[in-house]
């Protein structure tokens, strides 16, 4: 049986998820933009990866990804390695500094969320845990 969501409920969910996301994204980004952090995460998950594929996965134009990757390369957060199948091309991989930065960002964001969750009542906490599988399903669905 499929439930037809009310527009109001879906809008409320969108606002709540958006606010929570903004608060987490603002935590520990330091001097990096959202696009830079997002690209680092994608390189971590999918790397080695070609620049064009990275742009496609991030849903940005190739010139935008070229600028993002250039800044990450300058900061020492990613490295370029030769493409084993095409000597004229290269792949992008996460550098140790990029991995360290992502670990730091995740720790900061987890601490923020942990602090907020710790203020919930036991009943609220149990409801949140019960909702996690549904939220994971929504997050994992392909477009």
């Amino acid at each position: 049986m499929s439930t037809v969501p009310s527009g109001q409920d879906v809008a409320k969910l969108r606002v709540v998820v958006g606010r929570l996301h903004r608060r987490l994204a603002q935590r520990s980004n330091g001097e990096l933009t959202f696009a830079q952090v997002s690209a680092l995460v994608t390189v971590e998950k999918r790397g080695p990866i070609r620049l064009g594929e990275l742009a496609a996965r991030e849903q940005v134009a190739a010139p935008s990804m070229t600028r993002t990757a250039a800044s990450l390369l300058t900061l020492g957060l990613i490295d370029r390695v030769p493409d084993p199948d095409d000597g004229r091309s290269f792949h992008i991989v996460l550098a140790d500094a990029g991995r360290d930065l992502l670990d730091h960002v995740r720790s900061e964001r987890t601490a923020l969320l942990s602090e907020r969750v710790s203020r919930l009542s036991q009943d609220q906490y149990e409801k949140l845990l019960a909702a996690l599988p549904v939220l994971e399903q929504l997050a994992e669905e392909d477009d």
Side-chain angles (χ1 to χ4, degrees), residues 46-59:
R46 304 288 182 172
I49 188 171
R50 287 184 179 197
L51 191 61
E53 184 183 349
L54 180 58
R57 290 199 173 275
E58 290 294 300
Q59 299 180 343

Side-chain angles (χ1 to χ4, degrees), residues 3-138:
T3 305
V4 178
S6 80
Q8 233 177 0
D9 290 341
V10 172
K12 189 175 181 179
L13 177 62
R14 177 186 49 77
V15 168
V16 168
V17 169
R19 283 182 182 162
L20 185 57
H21 178 263
R22 268 191 311 282
R23 293 219 175 29
L24 292 174
Q26 291 167 347
R27 186 68 170 233
S28 300
N29 278 0
E31 297 179 18
L32 294 186
T33 66
F34 175 81
Q36 289 170 319
V37 173
S38 183
L40 283 175
V41 170
T42 300
V43 170
E44 177 186 47
K45 286 182 180 177
R46 304 288 182 172
I49 188 171
R50 287 184 179 197
L51 191 61
E53 184 183 349
L54 180 58
R57 290 199 173 275
E58 290 294 300
Q59 299 180 343
V60 298
S64 293
M65 185 51 67
T66 299
R67 286 188 298 276
T68 298
S71 64
L72 295 173
L73 189 62
T74 299
L75 292 169
L77 302 175
I78 60 171
D79 290 318
R80 291 171 43 161
V81 296
D83 183 332
D85 299 325
D86 182 354
R88 301 166 297 166
S89 188
F90 63 90
H91 284 156
I92 295 171
V93 296
L94 195 63
D96 289 341
R99 191 172 326 285
D100 292 345
L101 180 113
L102 287 178
D103 289 346
H104 176 74
V105 167
R106 288 180 178 128
S107 293
E108 287 288 315
R109 291 176 181 181
T110 298
L112 171 69
L113 196 53
S114 180
E115 187 248 316
R116 288 177 180 232
V117 168
S118 72
R119 295 191 304 246
L120 298 175
S121 70
Q122 184 65 33
D123 184 54
Q124 290 171 319
Y125 180 67
E126 289 171 8
K127 287 177 181 173
L128 177 63
L129 290 181
L132 287 178
V134 176
L135 293 171
E136 287 172 340
Q137 179 182 344
L138 291 175

